[in-house]
Structures are given as C-alpha cells and as structure tokens.
Amino acid sequence: MDKDLLRQCLTYHGESLFNKLKCEQTENPDFQAVVSDLCKATYERGEGQGSPLVEQFIARKADILFCPSWKTTTLQEEEHEEEEEEEEATEPCAIMPPLELFMEVSYEERRSMLYRDLERGDIVVGRINNIREYGFFLTLLCMAGGLKRDIEDLELSCLCHIREIPSTGSHDDPLSYYQIGDLIRGGVKDIDRYQEKITVSLHQASLSPSLKHIKLGVITQEELPIHYSRSVRAAADSSETYEHILSRCHGYHNPSVVDYLLKKVGISDTHPPSMMRGLQSKLFQEEDFASAIRKKQSASWALKCVRAGVDHFKHGHHVEAMNEYNKALEIDTNNVEALVARGALYANKGSIMKAITDFELALESCPDHRNAKKYLSQTLVERGKQFEGQEKLVTAEGMYRRALSLDDSNPEAQEALHKITDTIQKSIRLREEALAKEQVKAKGSQTSAEKLRKILKEEKRMKKKQKRSASSTSSSSSSSRSTSSSSSSFSHRRSKKKKKKRRRRSEHGNKRHRRISSRESRKSEEASEDEESDSSRRERKRKDSRTRRWKNSRSPDKQEKRSSRERRDTSRERGKNNNRRDSDSKRRNLDENTKRRVSCSSAESDYSRKSSFHSEYSRHSGSAPRMRHDSSKRSSFDGGRCESRGREEICEVEEREKESIEGGAAEENSRSDRHSKRSESAGSQSGSTSAPQARPKKDLPANLLDIFNQIAQFEKEKGVRPKK
Amino acid sequence: MEGPSTRLCASQAGLQSLADRRDSSGDAESDPARDMKTHFRVCRFIMESGVKLAMRSVPVVTACVLYHRFFERASLCAYEPYLVAMSCMYLAGKVEEQHIRTRDIINVSHRYFNSGSAPLECDKDFWDLRDSVVQCELLILRQLNFHVSFEHPHKYLLHYLLSVKSLVNRHAWSRTPIAETSWALLRDCYHGAMCIRHTPQHIAIAMLYLALNSYGVELPVGDKEWWQVLCEHVTKADIDAVISDLLQLYDMEAKCI
C-alpha cells in the first residue's frame, strides 16, 4: 500500500476514516504493515464536510485505491503535451484556458502556486519591457510549455541575460535584434522561489527534453499558445463559460478524442480499471477471451470439414474431398489436419509440388505430425524419382536423403537411396577408370618421345644462355630475376625431371602457387590481375592451340587424345573436385587444361580468374619454377605432345609470364600477345609474326629449326624492347 | 432465479416463447429490488464480456445505456435480459464504430454461462442463437425509437481531468492515480440505471470529485469552486446525489454477486 497516499488521505479526512480503515482492512496484510506508521500522523479535519458514506467507501476500497500497481500514469504525458500546440483547426482535443481563470483564484494564491510549480525547462512567453546592456526584461504573458497557468495579470518580470541569448554569428551586439514590445518565447533557466525571481534563457539547451523541439526567440501574435488566446477571449467576455468554450472547440468533436486523451492521460482501455471486486483484471482468464475461443472453434469446425473430406476421399469422390478441404482451410487457415489431407490428395492426383508445399506448411506449425512426415517422405521419394528420370542424380539423392530423415522406416526411400548412391559411385568409378586409361596411354607414349625431349632440353639450355646474354642488358630487374631464377629452375627441373617425383613437384608447385597467388593479390590487384588474366587467358588459348597442335602432330595418338579429351570432358563435368583432390598430377594437369578452357569462357568473374590463376599457376607455374615444373611435367607426361617446340614455347611463355606477372607492363602484354598470337591459330591482337607459328605442325622435328629461329628472333626483339 | 444457461442454450427462435417458459416464482423480494439485482447482474455480464471482446470503454457504456433504456419501459417478464444484453452489445458496436461479430458474442456468452466448456459447434442451435440476437437487435431499435446515439460523460471527464491537472503540481499529480480512479468509478456507474438519470457532465464532475476526495487532494479555491466552473448550474447536491447512487451500487455488489 502506498504509504504516502494513505497519509495524505488520512490527513484530509481525519481520524474517523482511520478508524473505519482499521475496521474494514483488518485482514489486509499490506494495511497492517503500514498502520503503525499512520498512527503517528496527526489528523486535522480538512474540509469539515467529511461524509461518512464516502469514508466507508474509502475504507472498504482502500486495498484497491492505495495499491501501488493501481498507478499506471507514466510521464509519457509530457511528450504529448506539445503536440497540441498546433493551429486551432487541427487540435486533437479541446485545449482549454487555464481553469483558475474561470475560478477567479486570487492573485496571491496564483502567484504562490506559480512559484511553487514552475520548474526549470518550462517555456514562458513574455513581452520585452526594458532592454539594458546586460540583457532584457520580460513581462510574462503566459506559459507555453510545462505548465498551463493564467499569469498575465501577475505581472511577473524576468530577466534574460545577454549570455543567454544565442549569438547570431556576426559580431553585432545580440541585443540589437530585440526591441521593446517584442514577444519572446524563452525557457525558464532559474527560479528563485524565495526572492521570487525568474531568469529566462533563449538557448534550446535550457529546455526540458520533451520540449526541446520548440523554438525560442521572437514570436508573432499568431504563435501565441491557443489556450492563451482563448483565455483572453474568455476574460473579456463573461458569457464565455468553460462549458461554452469546450463545446465550441473543434478538437472536442474529434471522434477519436477519447482514445487520444486516454493515451495522453495514461489509462489502458484493454484492461480497464474498476473499483468493483468482480471486475478486477486479474480475474479474467485468457481462454475466456473472444479471440482465444474463436481460434479453438475454428480449428474444431475445420476438423469437421476435414473428416467429411476424408470420407469423400475414401469413397473416391476426389472433387468433393478437395472442396471440403478448401472449406476447412477457409475456416481455419493453416489448419494442420486439413493441410495434410489436402497434401495427400494432391500427391495422389500427381501434383507433387503442391503436395510438398502443403506438407511443409503443416510441418511448420506442427513439426512432429506423424502423418505429415510420413506422407512428405513418400512424396519426396516420388519427386526424387522424377529427378532421376531427368538425370539430376545429385538432386534426386538429396530428395531421398530428406525423405529418409523424415521417416527412417520408409522402405522405398531406403531402397531408392541405396540405388542412387550406387549409381553415383558407379559413374565416379567409370570416370576414374577412363582417366586411368588415359594415364596409361600417356605413359606409353612417353618412351618414344623421351629422346626428343632430351634434344629439346639441350636446345633450350642453349637458348637460355643466349637469352641470358640478351636480357642482361635490359634494365628491368624482374627479367634478370626471372632469367636467373629460370636458369636455376631449368637446372632444377632437369634434375628433377629424371626422378619421377611428379607428385612432389606438383605439391611444391601447389604451395608455390598459393604463395605466389597471394603475393600477386597483395600487389596492385586490378592492374596485375587484369594483365594476368589477359596473359593467362592468352596462355590458356595458347595452351589450347598447343594441345590442339599436339593432337594434330601426333596423328597416331590423335584418336587416343580425342577419346581422352572426351573422357576429360566428362570427368570435368563430374569430377572437378575429385580431380583437384587427386594426387595424380597428370590428371590434374589434364583437368586443369579442360578447366582452363571452361574458365576461359567465364573469365569475367574474379573467382574464375582467381581459380584460373590457381589452375594456371598449378598448370604452368605462375612463377618460374612452377611453370617449369608444369611444363616439364607436361613434356614428360603428355608424351611428346609438347616436345621440343612445346617446351620452347613453354620456356618463352615462362619468360613472358614471369615478366607479365612480376612487371605488369604493357610491353610484356604485347610480348605475350605476340607470343600467343604466334601460338594461336586465331586471334589478331598484334601484328606479330605469330602466324607462321599457327601452322598445324604435323612433323615436329622438321619444323623444330624453324621454331628455333623464330624464337631467337623474338628473343632479340625482347631484348630490344626493354631498352626502349 | 433460474440458471441463465438453460435459457441461453435452448433454442430461442421467438422471444415470445421465452416469456412462456419463464416461471413466475414466488416473489421473495419486491419486484423493483429484484429487478435492480437482475439488471446489476446483466450489466456485470455486459462489462465482463466487453473486456473479453476487447471492446473500448465507450461502446461498452453504450451497450449498458441501451440496456437500461430498453428496460425503462419494457418488462423483465417479457424479454430475456441476457439476450437483450447480447443484442445491445452487438448494436453498440455498430453505433460506436467498433463492430463485433455475433460469433464472438455468442462464444463469450456461452462460455460465461458454461464456464470451461468447449466452443459451440456450427449446428442448428448456433444458428438459432444467432438469429435471435439479430432479431432482438431490431426489437431494441424499435423500442428506443431508433434513438441510439448518446452523449457520454467520458469525453467530459477526460477534459476535466486535463484542466484539473494543470491546477496541481505535476509531481503530486503523477503520484496520485486520480485519472485511473475516476475512470474506474465512471465505468462502474453503468451497473445501475443512475447512468441515465443524471446528465453526463454531472456524472463526470461527480466522479472526479469522488476521486479527488478519496485521495485527499486539495485544489485551490477562488471565487468559485472548480466543479462549479466546469459545468454551469451544477450544485453540490447534484454531486452528492450521484456519489450516493454510485456507492449504493458498490453495496449491491456485495449482495448480488
């Protein structure tokens, strides 16, 4: 029980109330707790008109009246206050003049009331009556926020110090903006209740938070608060009674004025207060409310319809059954039973998707519905079979798995899942076998080309020496770096090539790929990436043409290669990931070749670029050593396909790539352009002498010398370029 | 008194049949007193159902006024009061623009009389009940000569609250639940016919007066008292009359329910 309120009440009414209270509230433990304190309070008979009936009422209802939770008024009223200060036509409720005006409260009383209740942050409106050098004085007219009082005739004067006037930016005296007679709206800054002095400020910060949006400063006559203008009218005309003004207010006739004011005053209309014992809100139970009963009733009515529908269904009247189900869902949307029944009907008719939608909706509201899960799993098996028919094996597998997860005892689902996993595994195995066959073929063809390879390597060594002397003159450190590294890597490669440590190389290569690719990314991304992508694309094209050329050159191996390529294609489709993981580098090479081709077409996306980088790097080492490994691998594994010319081209590509990757200069691009032009059968990016290279080379050893010469030429040109 | 559930559940196609079914049991008390108790109980039914139907204060109060005005001239013997109450709620929802569905009214009422029961099935009884509600509505309209819009004290009370609030210190006001108490008192007025015997302004002022009195709040006094200002020609006697009527209703609660 609210002690303070009780005390206030008892002080007002006197001892008789206290006695009655003790009488009526003996059983109330809360009252017993505070009764001792109240004994000590002194009672003065306030009005002298204490009505025994009223006191009896208070005594009886004291537990409700003084209950702490009875108070629901919050300070939200403060925020709403200022919404009223709009034009008369738009007021949400009647804004009345201050009551004391009508009551004709005495001057003294009003003055003391004002000083008691005025607080910092309230807004006052006054007229300037005096301007001094330290500020100006206002005669207060009315309140404009925080309080609503009739103060005009109190003739209160307050000061607005010069430092309370916000500066206007220019260095004029701020007081010069104000004249005697101006209407000023200001915020109360300080109140001296004993000396009855009020100071006013024009800073927005001086206002209380709920009033912050009101602008302070000079205002016009029209901006005076409504209640003031009305009170002026009322004071002038004695026939303007409160009631009269109220009924004439536009806001009074607002149809939703009750709701608006209830919110403003802070009373809830959904759990309205009552003094009657039987109407206390805690006695109302949730399930007795209309909305709760309606929900239960809808579910029950819908269930009736569903039962009728199931009956129809059993007799084969599908149309009537569907009607009943739809009726049930109209009565109660998302009714679980109706959805499950309708879903079953859809599945029966063959509308698998609609059935699945219904079942899923049902499972949303009731995840443990047995029938829903069972039917859904069966329907998913059906859908899976459809997918299987469309050759979408992975999707079908997903369906079967989901069906099994819903209902593990579904025999069809288990069977189908086993079948399809078998099918998928079989196809994987087939792919692997095909690749293995390719490998074997590739291995077989090595022996015949090994000799050639040796020759090519010798020639490459010589060429490298030439290049080293040529490029030593170039200023680019990268090229020197590349040459030195290339030379070292050449020897490295040669030594390693003999050992069949392809895997290790590939693994190293992978690591280097990653390292280098990260390094690359760290560099100025776009430029280098673009160039790299260009070069890589060109490299890819070059490789394409090279492999094509290889194919053409190796006529006996043509068919094998074609079939292997086909196999590669299929394997590309199925086992990209598998191939990645595969430790067999050869396969990786092959797949990366094909992947390259694929990524060529989608070279626009970063991802493909990066992946192509990776694959490219792994393929033919973004850095010199990687490339060399790759090329050596290729030369060693792809069986003479690359052979001498390929190797040379690889070396050149290495150089070019190295330079393009590390330097990223246009000339390198053009160089690689030229190189790729040379190697490409199509493409016309630069007028290089690549055309002759595009000839299909059927007889490798015969054209080897030609190639050598051309390579030498290009090297010379390359050597010339950096000098420029 | 007979259980209202039997009256409600039975088919109520025609209101005349109700009168026949009604036993004229021996008058234990004088008719007016007994009637007042009946009215009190029925109004309690209206107020409770209003809360369960999420009706706002004003439509609930309109329903009570319709009920009281109907039985000003009609006799309780002729008409089933609970059915009239249900139709009053339905009509009041239409008048005050908060439409209530008959299905909800029937559901809430059925559960009021048969506490804890399952909701009604969509069967003949349900439709008969619905028909009776709708027919009774027309009967009420005719009985009241189609004057169904009333001026309620609620608007006055809210505006008076605002005006009185500005007279007191803001902190004292927020400490004292004057607004809730006066609103509660005002709603409770409608259990009896006093609500139609006094003018809305008087009722509003009386409620505010009682609330202020209960908490011992003192307002400033000028040449006139605050309640004299709020409404012309209101006297202390008027206020006292309203208050005493209300207090009688509170006493009746203990006896009836």
Side-chain angles (χ1 to χ4, degrees):
Chain A
M1 277 191 156
D2 196 325
K3 234 188 291 175
D4 299 318
L5 279 179
L6 261 176
R7 198 176 292 126
Q8 183 182 317
C9 175
L10 285 167
T11 318
Y12 181 81
H13 286 277
E15 194 149 358
S16 56
L17 176 60
F18 188 53
N19 294 333
K20 288 200 178 93
L21 262 174
K22 278 194 285 193
C23 187
E24 294 285 345
Q25 298 286 335
T26 39
E27 304 94 41
N28 189 344
D30 299 326
F31 178 69
Q32 297 308 322
V34 299
V35 73
S36 45
D37 290 336
L38 298 168
C39 282
K40 301 167 199 153
T42 54
Y43 310 118
E44 295 127 29
R45 199 76 182 164
E47 303 290 300
Q49 26 172 322
S51 152
L53 275 178
V54 173
E55 288 178 6
Q56 181 80 293
F57 162 75
I58 297 170
R60 285 214 186 111
K61 302 288 182 183
D63 55 331
I64 304 174
L65 279 171
F66 299 103
C67 177
S69 60
W70 186 243
K71 245 189 311 203
T72 55
T73 31
T74 52
L75 289 177
Q76 68 199 48
E77 320 153 27
E78 305 296 331
E79 296 155 25
H80 292 289
E81 258 190 60
E82 295 327 300
E83 293 170 24
E84 288 179 38
E85 299 301 323
E86 298 154 10
E87 295 168 21
E88 282 194 40
T90 62
E91 57 183 6
C93 68
I95 300 169
M96 297 302 294
L99 204 57
E100 54 219 34
L101 174 74
F102 300 100
M103 285 162 65
E104 294 170 26
V105 180
S106 70
Y107 175 92
E108 287 306 324
E109 182 135 12
R110 272 185 290 135
R111 203 182 163 90
S112 63
M113 266 168 54
L114 183 72
Y115 280 111
R116 176 194 74 193
D117 296 335
L118 192 65
E119 278 184 21
R120 204 181 288 185
D122 291 341
I123 303 179
V124 293
V125 172
R127 194 173 264 122
I128 299 182
N129 60 22
N130 202 349
I131 303 183
R132 297 283 173 85
E133 58 279 355
Y134 54 85
F136 55 75
F137 285 90
L138 289 175
T139 324
L140 292 187
L141 278 185
C142 65
M143 306 289 303
L147 262 192
K148 197 162 76 164
R149 294 284 167 87
D150 177 34
I151 57 178
E152 185 171 9
D153 60 336
L154 296 178
E155 291 185 18
L156 303 166
S157 186
C158 57
L159 167 69
C160 182
H161 204 273
I162 191 166
R163 59 169 179 267
E164 300 299 339
I165 304 171
S167 61
T168 48
S170 63
H171 296 284
D172 291 347
D173 174 26
L175 285 173
S176 62
Y177 287 104
Y178 302 100
Q179 295 172 5
I180 293 185
D182 276 352
L183 285 172
I184 302 283
R185 184 159 56 195
V188 172
K189 181 168 176 291
D190 198 27
I191 311 152
D192 189 341
R193 295 180 212 271
Y194 295 106
Q195 295 183 18
E196 297 193 343
K197 280 213 176 84
I198 304 169
T199 36
V200 157
S201 159
L202 291 184
H203 287 297
Q204 293 292 138
S206 62
L207 295 177
S208 69
S210 57
L211 303 171
K212 275 250 155 60
H213 59 276
I214 302 198
K215 280 185 64 183
L216 300 177
V218 183
I219 58 172
T220 61
Q221 196 80 10
E222 289 79 31
E223 286 174 308
L224 284 172
I226 303 169
H227 66 85
Y228 174 70
S229 34
R230 284 195 178 134
S231 68
V232 165
R233 277 205 302 265
D237 186 357
S238 62
S239 69
E240 293 262 330
T241 60
Y242 183 92
E243 202 173 334
H244 201 211
I245 298 174
L246 185 68
S247 55
R248 271 206 342 250
C249 274
H250 190 84
Y252 181 73
H253 300 285
N254 175 8
S256 50
V257 67
V258 173
D259 295 326
Y260 173 77
L261 284 177
L262 276 177
K263 257 191 278 205
K264 212 168 145 358
V265 166
I267 304 173
S268 153
D269 225 3
T270 47
H271 293 282
S274 172
M275 301 294 295
M276 291 280 188
R277 298 250 168 236
L279 285 177
Q280 299 303 302
S281 48
K282 60 179 179 280
L283 296 174
F284 290 103
Q285 292 180 329
E286 269 309 308
E287 56 257 22
D288 286 339
F289 279 59
S291 44
I293 303 177
R294 172 178 275 262
K295 259 193 221 135
K296 269 172 47 184
Q297 194 182 52
S298 298
S300 141
W301 287 3
L303 214 57
K304 254 179 55 182
C305 286
V306 170
R307 271 190 227 122
V310 170
D311 210 41
H312 281 301
F313 179 67
K314 288 196 182 131
H315 289 92
H317 309 307
H318 291 243
V319 180
E320 285 93 330
M322 182 58 79
N323 285 343
E324 290 289 336
Y325 296 149
N326 287 333
K327 206 166 72 172
L329 284 169
E330 262 179 45
I331 296 174
D332 181 19
T333 42
N334 293 345
N335 180 287
V336 181
E337 298 297 330
L339 283 170
V340 172
R342 196 171 73 163
L345 186 56
Y346 274 137
N348 238 306
K349 286 204 302 194
S351 321
I352 304 276
M353 288 316 297
K354 287 192 197 166
I356 293 181
T357 322
D358 275 349
F359 288 135
E360 287 185 343
L361 204 53
L363 283 173
E364 259 174 51
S365 20
C366 179
D368 292 321
H369 196 269
R370 213 168 46 112
N371 272 347
K373 291 208 288 202
K374 202 167 76 167
Y375 296 157
L376 182 56
S377 99
Q378 286 172 7
T379 318
L380 285 172
V381 169
E382 278 295 321
R383 190 97 180 95
K385 294 210 175 101
Q386 280 182 358
F387 278 127
E388 238 189 294
Q390 297 170 11
E391 292 293 328
K392 297 186 182 161
L393 295 179
V394 184
T395 329
E397 195 196 344
M399 290 279 133
Y400 294 140
R401 279 196 201 283
R402 195 162 158 236
L404 214 52
S405 75
L406 283 166
D407 178 18
D408 355 12
S409 64
N410 188 345
E412 260 190 62
Q414 287 168 354
E415 194 191 305
L417 186 62
H418 287 153
K419 252 180 56 186
I420 202 162
T421 43
D422 282 342
T423 320
I424 292 179
Q425 278 170 12
K426 259 187 230 155
S427 66
I428 293 176
R429 244 178 286 140
L430 281 168
R431 257 179 274 141
E432 289 177 4
E433 282 167 20
L435 288 170
K437 272 188 223 158
E438 264 187 49
Q439 256 190 0
V440 166
K441 261 181 256 142
K443 277 192 193 131
S445 53
Q446 276 173 37
T447 51
S448 54
E450 269 193 327
K451 291 173 199 162
L452 264 167
R453 219 174 291 129
K454 281 181 196 160
I455 301 167
L456 279 169
K457 278 189 187 148
E458 293 274 332
E459 288 164 344
K460 250 194 203 158
R461 229 179 299 142
M462 278 169 37
K463 190 189 62 165
K464 278 285 168 194
K465 281 182 193 153
Q466 289 175 8
K467 207 174 62 156
R468 239 175 281 143
S469 56
S471 56
S472 61
T473 57
S474 73
S475 48
S476 63
S477 56
S478 57
S479 50
S480 51
R481 235 190 299 136
S482 59
T483 45
S484 46
S485 55
S486 64
S487 56
S488 57
S489 47
F490 265 123
S491 47
H492 184 64
R493 183 184 47 168
R494 236 176 291 130
S495 57
K496 275 210 171 172
K497 184 203 147 196
K498 301 241 161 96
K499 308 167 194 165
K500 289 189 181 174
K501 297 208 177 132
R502 309 160 195 162
R503 281 188 200 168
R504 224 197 295 148
R505 240 177 276 143
S506 62
E507 280 159 14
H508 285 317
N510 271 337
K511 286 187 206 146
R512 256 178 244 124
H513 302 248
R514 275 178 231 120
R515 248 186 288 133
I516 282 145
S517 52
S518 61
R519 211 201 311 153
E520 294 309 324
S521 56
R522 260 180 268 132
K523 288 183 188 173
S524 56
E525 287 97 2
E526 288 197 11
S528 48
E529 270 189 15
D530 280 337
E531 305 214 15
E532 282 159 1
S533 64
D534 285 344
S535 56
S536 67
R537 242 177 276 138
R538 278 174 227 118
E539 296 310 336
R540 265 176 258 132
K541 289 183 202 147
R542 190 175 43 80
K543 292 285 177 334
D544 276 347
S545 54
R546 205 189 303 146
T547 51
R548 256 180 273 132
R549 256 177 285 125
W550 297 334
K551 208 165 127 195
N552 294 336
S553 60
R554 305 279 303 178
S555 36
D557 296 326
K558 224 190 271 186
Q559 301 208 345
E560 288 175 34
K561 281 163 204 152
R562 235 178 274 132
S563 56
S564 68
R565 184 161 293 138
E566 284 163 9
R567 254 178 269 130
R568 246 181 283 140
D569 289 343
T570 56
S571 68
R572 196 199 321 156
E573 260 190 36
R574 296 298 177 89
K576 257 192 195 172
N577 291 329
N578 290 342
N579 288 330
R580 269 225 178 84
R581 275 180 254 119
D582 203 320
S583 60
D584 194 327
S585 53
K586 204 192 292 183
R587 210 178 299 155
R588 190 170 26 93
N589 288 339
L590 292 168
D591 289 311
E592 281 157 0
N593 266 340
T594 57
K595 233 188 292 164
R596 218 186 313 147
R597 247 171 269 133
V598 170
S599 50
C600 252
S601 50
S602 61
E604 302 321 302
S605 65
D606 274 353
Y607 175 77
S608 66
R609 232 188 295 148
K610 288 211 171 81
S611 66
S612 63
F613 285 153
H614 284 292
S615 52
E616 195 197 353
Y617 290 151
S618 61
R619 251 178 290 127
H620 48 163
S621 30
S623 71
R626 251 190 293 151
M627 258 195 43
R628 237 165 291 113
H629 287 163
D630 214 301
S631 53
S632 63
K633 273 179 246 145
R634 218 178 289 108
S635 47
S636 49
F637 306 151
D638 295 347
R641 262 181 264 153
C642 2
E643 285 178 14
S644 55
R645 190 170 38 117
R647 233 183 284 144
E648 282 163 59
E649 292 176 344
I650 291 161
C651 306
E652 289 174 311
V653 166
E654 280 180 32
E655 307 306 319
R656 291 217 165 80
E657 277 221 357
K658 266 182 267 152
E659 285 166 358
S660 64
I661 288 161
E662 291 170 2
E667 47 188 357
E668 289 148 7
N669 266 339
S670 58
R671 238 175 280 135
S672 51
D673 269 347
R674 262 178 293 119
H675 188 80
S676 49
K677 275 296 151 251
R678 193 175 44 137
S679 47
E680 274 177 5
S681 48
S684 51
Q685 287 167 4
S686 57
S688 59
T689 56
S690 58
Q693 289 291 355
R695 285 194 310 265
K697 308 256 168 24
K698 291 200 174 143
D699 199 4
L700 273 173
N703 291 325
L704 214 58
L705 290 168
D706 283 348
I707 295 158
F708 271 19
N709 292 335
Q710 284 168 16
I711 290 166
Q713 276 179 10
F714 275 99
E715 291 308 321
K716 280 184 202 149
E717 281 180 62
K718 237 204 306 185
V720 169
R721 283 284 149 73
K723 284 174 199 162
K724 283 187 188 171
Chain B
M1 210 188 275
E2 280 183 344
S5 53
T6 54
R7 285 185 291 207
L8 203 62
C9 285
S11 148
Q12 298 174 2
L15 288 166
Q16 299 305 98
S17 55
L18 300 173
D20 305 336
R21 242 184 303 116
R22 183 79 171 262
D23 283 347
S24 53
S25 49
D27 295 332
E29 317 155 25
S30 53
D31 271 328
R34 194 174 128 193
D35 286 351
M36 258 185 46
K37 284 191 186 163
T38 313
H39 291 317
F40 186 93
R41 290 201 190 96
V42 178
C43 287
R44 171 57 60 90
F45 161 71
I46 295 178
M47 307 280 285
E48 253 195 67
S49 307
V51 174
K52 293 177 189 169
L53 289 164
M55 281 169 90
R56 294 193 301 261
S57 282
V58 173
V60 169
V61 152
T62 307
C64 292
V65 170
L66 285 169
Y67 175 84
H68 287 299
R69 286 212 181 271
F70 180 86
F71 278 107
E72 256 187 314
R73 277 177 290 260
S75 156
L76 268 175
C77 308
Y79 304 106
E80 162 61 55
Y82 286 98
L83 181 62
V84 172
M86 286 161 70
S87 305
C88 284
M89 284 194 277
Y90 184 51
L91 181 56
K94 291 187 188 174
V95 170
E96 300 294 345
E97 299 297 336
Q98 189 186 11
H99 298 259
I100 316 279
R101 310 270 296 271
T102 42
R103 183 174 155 193
D104 289 326
I105 296 178
I106 291 171
N107 283 340
V108 167
S109 314
H110 180 79
R111 207 177 162 93
Y112 181 87
F113 294 118
N114 310 291
S115 128
S117 61
L120 282 174
E121 289 300 320
C122 187
D123 51 10
K124 184 173 179 301
D125 282 348
F126 180 85
W127 291 109
D128 285 344
L129 208 51
R130 192 178 175 279
D131 285 342
S132 352
V133 169
V134 173
Q135 281 178 32
C136 191
E137 184 197 7
L138 186 56
L139 182 69
I140 295 171
L141 280 169
R142 287 164 56 191
Q143 176 78 357
L144 298 179
N145 286 330
F146 291 82
H147 292 303
V148 288
S149 68
F150 309 104
E151 199 182 27
H152 292 301
H154 297 65
K155 263 206 292 196
Y156 289 108
L157 178 62
L158 289 169
H159 283 98
Y160 296 163
L161 274 171
L162 283 183
S163 290
V164 166
K165 177 181 159 191
S166 59
L167 281 179
V168 298
N169 180 284
R170 68 193 87 187
H171 300 294
W173 182 264
S174 53
R175 272 198 316 258
T176 327
I178 302 278
E180 287 89 346
T181 308
S182 53
W183 194 255
L185 293 169
L186 183 56
R187 279 177 67 99
D188 294 338
C189 281
Y190 285 84
H191 283 83
M194 59 162 283
C195 51
I196 48 176
R197 287 204 206 104
H198 302 282
T199 56
Q201 291 96 320
H202 293 184
I203 297 177
I205 293 178
M207 296 304 113
L208 190 50
Y209 184 93
L210 182 57
L212 289 168
N213 211 1
S214 305
Y215 290 108
V217 176
E218 294 198 40
L219 291 177
V221 184
D223 286 352
K224 297 187 201 161
E225 293 270 354
W226 60 271
W227 42 267
Q228 288 171 310
V229 164
L230 290 177
C231 176
E232 286 173 76
H233 316 304
V234 65
T235 60
K236 190 75 175 38
D238 295 328
I239 297 178
D240 288 340
V242 176
I243 292 179
S244 67
D245 279 347
L246 178 60
L247 296 184
Q248 272 179 28
L249 282 177
Y250 284 116
D251 290 337
M252 201 183 292
E253 186 194 9
K255 295 176 206 150
C256 291
I257 306 222

